[in-house]
Amino acid sequence: MNLDSASSASSGPPPNARSSRGAIAAQACETCRSRKQKCDEQRPKCGLCQRMKLECNWREVQPTKKDKTLVEILDRLRSLETKVDRIPTSRGTPASGFGPPQPSPTSQPSFNADVDPSSYSSSLRPSPSGIKSNQSYRHFSASHKILTWPIIQQALLQALPSNVGDLKALEQDGAAFLVQIQRETPNLPLDDGLQERPFVGMQTQATRAAGGSRTTFPPLTKDVMNNLATAYFDTFNFIYPFMDRQTFLSDTLSKVHSEGFDGDTESVIALMVFALGELAIDGSRGKPVEAYQGRPSGVRGGSSAKPPGIALFNEARRRIGFCLTECELENVQIFALAALYYQATSKHGEFWRMSVSASSAAQVLVTGSSIDWNSPKGDLIKRAYWHCFLMEWTLYLELDVPLTGISALQDRVGIPSFNTPFCEADHRGNQSSHFEAHYASQIALRRLCANMHNNIYESTTSTDTPGTSNTGDFGGPSATSLNQLASQLTQWRSMLPRDLQWAEDDPASFPSPQASGGYSQPLDPTLSPQRSRSAMPLFTTDLDSEPVHYPYVYDIQVALLRTRYYYAKYMVHRPFIYKALHFPEQMTQEDAQGVAECLRSCLKWPLLLSPTSRRKRLIPWLFGWSQNFLGILLIMHMTQINPMLRDIRTQLCGARFEAEVNESVDLMLDWIRDLKSSDAIALWCYRILQPIYNLEP
């Protein structure tokens, strides 16, 4: 267990003495006054007051009113949701050939409006397999649905006829087919555990009343437990902030250190946090599990069979059965923590089940309890709820996993504000990585994507009239409707806090405010404001050199936010790709521009770059990203063999696309190749791409 890289935990000071309560009341804001704690400008003790000072410094003005930084971020971003109205189902009369529906300005590039539409009919005509190439569009966000597109199926069958079995199974079974693939992955070993001894010492009255024997683990000294907890809270909890560091250190860790471990919730939570802490350390700086042509793998620490933290996780699994009969906050956290470990070790089936269990428990907790939402615990429940919401909706969009109904509780729960007692370690991490702003922006983006998915889906299903056939008609949303949705994403990006902003065509750069005029110095997350990083990118395509290690997983936070933005752009414009492949004679100039925008949105996603891709155990949704890259790689292949996509790529995508597309393809192929030995979904993706891109066996 390598603990050298983990620093010791620190927390806020204890409450002030009784004698100083008068001074507290005089200096405290409303929030601090309700908690009877001091609040001054030199060392504020609550997160809300600290954010007041930080936001005032960001704006370079004096603090004149109570700041509501996190809430304001979410309010601004969430306001976009009200603008995503139902997409019009009217599509009008498609223009002949590839010209615009009405005369275009001379400044707009013309796209051969006079070309005979029949010349754009796909070179991949219906094969003996009986696949029809003119099926009307039906919207599904799940990436694997691209493999059900008729023209894509024809290309796959031409490349490797033996694919026909998998394609039919995928089309019929959908997500169940992927679950079956995942079952090929061996389960985590159960024989790894920790040496234990019976606990001998004093116990609290509550512990004695609970009964049962308690144990200790000699390897888990106080320093080791502190270091593992710090490693967890400085990494995973900045990406998924559903745990409270102060509560864990003062209550949970103190109990297991002084009274040993049992089958109670504190013991299970502590062991899972320690397991994830060890995984965070070795997953960042551990030895790569393998190398490909001299390039170290981005999967670090342990092995595919025995990942870091497995002994600690097994001790938690042996006790988790005692904690499954309640639906309290701690139960939601247990399910969520278990899901994170399964996710980081590519055990996707277990991850899916635990995520659904966490959502179900959160739903019962919210609907069946009386909760003071303004209390610190109430705010933590909000964070746990939104974590479950983000996980569930991603599963739904990626795998069509049924929703539990938790999304209907959004207005009842409200937005978290991180309105908890001041914690020195979290404050320091937030100053460096802005994890609260990243988290708030992720929530807003995910909600925006959910609304977009619903609108596109409804715009296609509403045209399906029973008893009629849509064959010969695209049947998808109009270009105007999709462009309106895309504009919401542009507004989302423009409304981001200045510390999260970046240039649209430079996803690898350090954050830099994009407003015209004023301060434009790139921000430096490495705690060294004297150094200018204007010439140094945050991300690089160099995957062979030792990656830079940014504190507080800053690079992963930035990469996730930006990549999900480009992913959302890709999803909004993807119906244009379907139309170009299956209904080329109905394409318009506006449709062609949509295809070009879709292709440009796939370039150099930060998640593929170093240092983020060199720490894959810490990246959320590995299986989802692998499927997304599979879909994009198939589309990029079609731009070389399909006449319509080839012409759009040549005439509309621009010089930047041609300069970066090959490197982007190589990065996506490297991602899937790197994971295929430890991830069954990645191996399946690799086998599909193998004959198309001439990959090694």
Side-chain angles (χ1 to χ4, degrees):
M1 187 182 298
N2 180 13
L3 305 177
D4 294 339
S5 60
S7 60
S8 60
S10 60
S11 59
N16 298 69
R18 181 188 301 266
S19 60
S20 61
R21 287 180 180 171
I24 295 174
Q27 300 184 52
C29 69
E30 182 179 347
T31 301
C32 288
R33 191 177 297 116
S34 66
R35 297 177 186 159
K36 298 183 175 62
Q37 62 184 29
K38 185 176 181 181
C39 170
D40 57 47
E41 192 156 324
Q42 286 71 39
R43 190 178 178 81
K45 301 298 190 294
C46 86
L48 181 61
C49 300
Q50 186 64 36
R51 287 188 292 275
M52 284 175 60
K53 181 180 177 184
L54 288 176
E55 182 69 5
C56 290
N57 288 339
W58 291 344
R59 297 173 180 171
E60 299 178 356
V61 298
Q62 294 299 319
T64 59
K65 62 179 181 178
K66 185 187 298 183
D67 181 48
K68 295 182 278 189
T69 306
L70 195 64
V71 176
E72 288 177 353
I73 291 171
L74 282 167
D75 285 343
R76 291 201 310 270
L77 299 176
R78 188 172 57 171
S79 66
L80 290 175
E81 298 173 14
T82 60
K83 301 179 182 180
V84 186
D85 299 322
R86 179 179 174 82
I87 296 179
T89 57
S90 174
R91 296 175 180 81
T93 303
S96 174
F98 200 86
Q102 49 186 311
S104 59
T106 56
S107 60
Q108 183 179 6
S110 176
F111 196 85
N112 258 341
D114 299 328
V115 173
D116 181 6
S118 62
S119 66
Y120 282 117
S121 298
S122 174
S123 59
L124 297 170
R125 303 318 305 167
S127 64
S129 63
I131 297 174
K132 296 181 179 180
S133 64
N134 61 343
Q135 293 178 2
S136 296
Y137 180 76
R138 292 295 300 274
H139 181 70
F140 296 97
S141 292
S143 300
H144 64 266
K145 294 294 185 179
I146 287 183
L147 275 69
T148 67
W149 291 7
I151 296 298
I152 296 293
Q153 287 186 340
Q154 292 174 25
L156 293 176
L157 291 177
Q158 288 182 7
L160 187 65
S162 61
N163 277 326
V164 64
D166 280 357
L167 293 178
K168 288 183 177 179
L170 178 64
E171 191 166 8
Q172 294 173 359
D173 301 334
F177 174 76
L178 299 179
V179 173
Q180 186 62 38
I181 289 177
Q182 182 56 34
R183 289 176 179 170
E184 301 174 6
T185 304
N187 294 327
L188 290 174
L190 295 171
D191 54 345
D192 279 86
L194 298 176
Q195 176 190 357
E196 63 180 54
R197 294 177 183 173
F199 172 77
V200 178
M202 298 292 292
Q203 296 181 355
T204 63
Q205 183 177 356
T207 303
R208 290 196 302 271
S213 61
R214 302 186 73 84
T215 60
T216 60
F217 303 106
L220 287 180
T221 64
K222 184 177 182 180
D223 287 342
V224 168
M225 288 191 285
N226 271 318
N227 289 340
L228 291 176
T230 299
Y232 168 80
F233 282 100
D234 282 354
T235 54
F236 284 107
N237 207 58
F238 282 161
I239 302 174
Y240 324 90
F242 60 85
M243 296 286 294
D244 181 67
R245 190 193 301 248
Q246 289 280 61
T247 301
F248 182 85
L249 295 178
S250 61
D251 298 342
T252 307
L253 192 147
S254 296
K255 180 176 180 179
V256 297
H257 174 253
S258 60
E259 302 183 39
F261 297 83
D262 194 6
D264 52 19
T265 56
E266 293 90 348
S267 298
V268 176
I269 288 176
L271 288 167
M272 286 190 173
V273 166
F274 298 155
L276 287 165
E278 184 176 337
L279 191 146
I281 295 170
D282 291 345
S284 294
R285 300 180 179 272
K287 182 180 178 181
V289 297
E290 60 183 12
Y292 173 75
Q293 295 183 354
R295 174 176 293 172
S297 171
V299 182
R300 295 174 175 262
S303 65
S304 299
K306 292 187 178 181
I310 184 61
L312 289 159
F313 187 66
N314 280 341
E315 295 298 340
R317 287 201 288 178
R318 293 187 179 105
R319 294 162 172 80
I320 196 173
F322 297 102
C323 307
L324 302 182
T325 58
E326 302 290 339
C327 290
E328 302 296 333
L329 171 61
E330 292 75 15
N331 301 97
V332 178
Q333 292 173 331
I334 286 173
F335 286 127
L337 289 168
L340 293 188
Y341 190 86
Y342 284 126
Q343 173 183 256
T345 55
S346 295
K347 307 304 177 186
H348 305 309
E350 292 85 349
F351 162 63
W352 301 335
R353 285 191 289 271
M354 284 294 171
S355 294
V356 172
S357 297
S359 292
S360 299
Q363 186 176 13
V364 174
L365 171 63
V366 171
T367 58
S369 306
S370 177
I371 301 170
D372 179 5
W373 295 111
N374 295 320
S375 66
K377 183 175 182 180
D379 193 74
L380 191 58
I381 293 175
K382 290 181 180 181
R383 286 151 58 181
Y385 166 85
W386 283 105
H387 170 78
C388 294
F389 171 88
L390 294 173
M391 290 292 183
E392 176 170 299
W393 260 95
T394 304
L395 281 174
Y396 171 68
L397 295 177
E398 289 294 337
L399 293 174
D400 294 329
V401 172
L403 299 172
T404 64
I406 191 174
S407 59
L409 303 173
Q410 297 178 50
D411 294 334
R412 178 173 181 172
V413 174
I415 302 299
S417 63
F418 290 83
N419 191 15
T420 54
F422 178 74
C423 174
E424 179 74 28
D426 282 344
H427 164 57
R428 187 169 57 248
N430 191 46
Q431 279 189 308
S432 301
S433 70
H434 312 289
F435 81 91
E436 293 181 6
H438 276 102
Y439 181 68
S441 302
Q442 292 270 19
I443 292 176
L445 179 59
R446 177 54 70 195
R447 293 177 63 164
L448 192 60
C449 289
N451 286 344
M452 290 177 174
H453 165 79
N454 290 337
N455 276 275
I456 298 176
Y457 181 79
E458 290 172 6
S459 74
T460 57
T461 57
S462 62
T463 62
D464 295 338
T465 304
T468 63
S469 173
N470 288 327
T471 301
D473 178 29
F474 169 53
S478 67
T480 300
S481 301
L482 294 176
N483 289 335
Q484 287 175 353
L485 290 179
S487 69
Q488 307 303 318
L489 290 171
T490 302
Q491 291 182 48
W492 172 88
R493 196 176 70 83
S494 67
M495 291 180 178
L496 289 173
R498 61 183 306 203
D499 294 325
L500 276 59
Q501 294 175 9
W502 77 97
E504 171 83 16
D505 293 335
D506 191 9
S509 64
F510 273 90
S512 179
Q514 296 302 300
S516 59
Y519 179 78
S520 61
Q521 177 69 27
L523 302 170
D524 182 6
T526 57
L527 307 181
S528 52
Q530 295 80 10
R531 296 162 51 194
S532 172
R533 290 184 169 269
S534 57
M536 180 178 179
L538 175 58
F539 305 99
T540 174
T541 58
D542 181 7
L543 305 184
D544 298 314
S545 302
E546 182 66 20
V548 177
H549 291 276
Y550 294 102
Y552 310 114
V553 288
Y554 175 76
D555 59 297
I556 296 179
Q557 293 186 61
V558 174
L560 282 174
L561 187 68
R562 296 183 187 180
T563 300
R564 282 174 172 155
Y565 163 74
Y566 291 113
Y567 162 77
K569 286 189 65 177
Y570 159 70
M571 292 302 301
V572 168
H573 291 95
R574 199 172 68 179
F576 290 117
I577 301 288
Y578 186 93
K579 187 175 183 179
L581 288 173
H582 301 88
F583 300 93
E585 68 281 355
Q586 299 180 23
M587 290 288 287
T588 67
Q589 181 76 27
E590 198 173 11
D591 293 332
Q593 294 289 356
V595 170
E597 191 63 33
C598 182
L599 296 176
R600 285 193 294 264
S601 68
C602 298
L603 297 176
K604 289 188 177 179
W605 287 3
L607 213 61
L608 293 164
L609 308 179
S610 180
T612 305
S613 67
R614 304 298 87 195
R615 298 195 284 179
K616 286 190 172 71
R617 291 199 188 275
L618 276 66
I619 296 177
W621 304 103
L622 290 177
F623 76 92
W625 296 121
S626 296
Q627 291 182 79
N628 281 316
F629 299 146
L630 168 65
I632 293 172
L633 287 167
L634 292 176
I635 290 174
M636 293 301 180
H637 173 67
M638 297 305 296
T639 64
Q640 296 180 316
I641 66 173
N642 180 270
M644 174 63 76
L645 291 187
R646 184 173 59 238
D647 285 353
I648 293 175
R649 170 177 171 172
T650 301
Q651 299 185 33
L652 297 181
C653 285
R656 173 178 172 255
F657 180 87
E658 292 302 330
E660 297 184 358
V661 62
N662 290 334
E663 196 167 29
S664 299
V665 166
D666 290 341
L667 289 167
M668 286 182 266
L669 291 173
D670 181 85
W671 173 285
I672 295 174
R673 181 192 296 112
D674 191 24
L675 287 172
K676 68 183 179 69
S677 62
S678 58
D679 188 321
I681 299 294
L683 178 59
W684 172 70
C685 295
Y686 187 84
R687 287 171 176 169
I688 293 175
L689 295 168
Q690 202 169 344
I692 294 177
Y693 283 92
N694 298 318
L695 305 178
E696 298 177 0

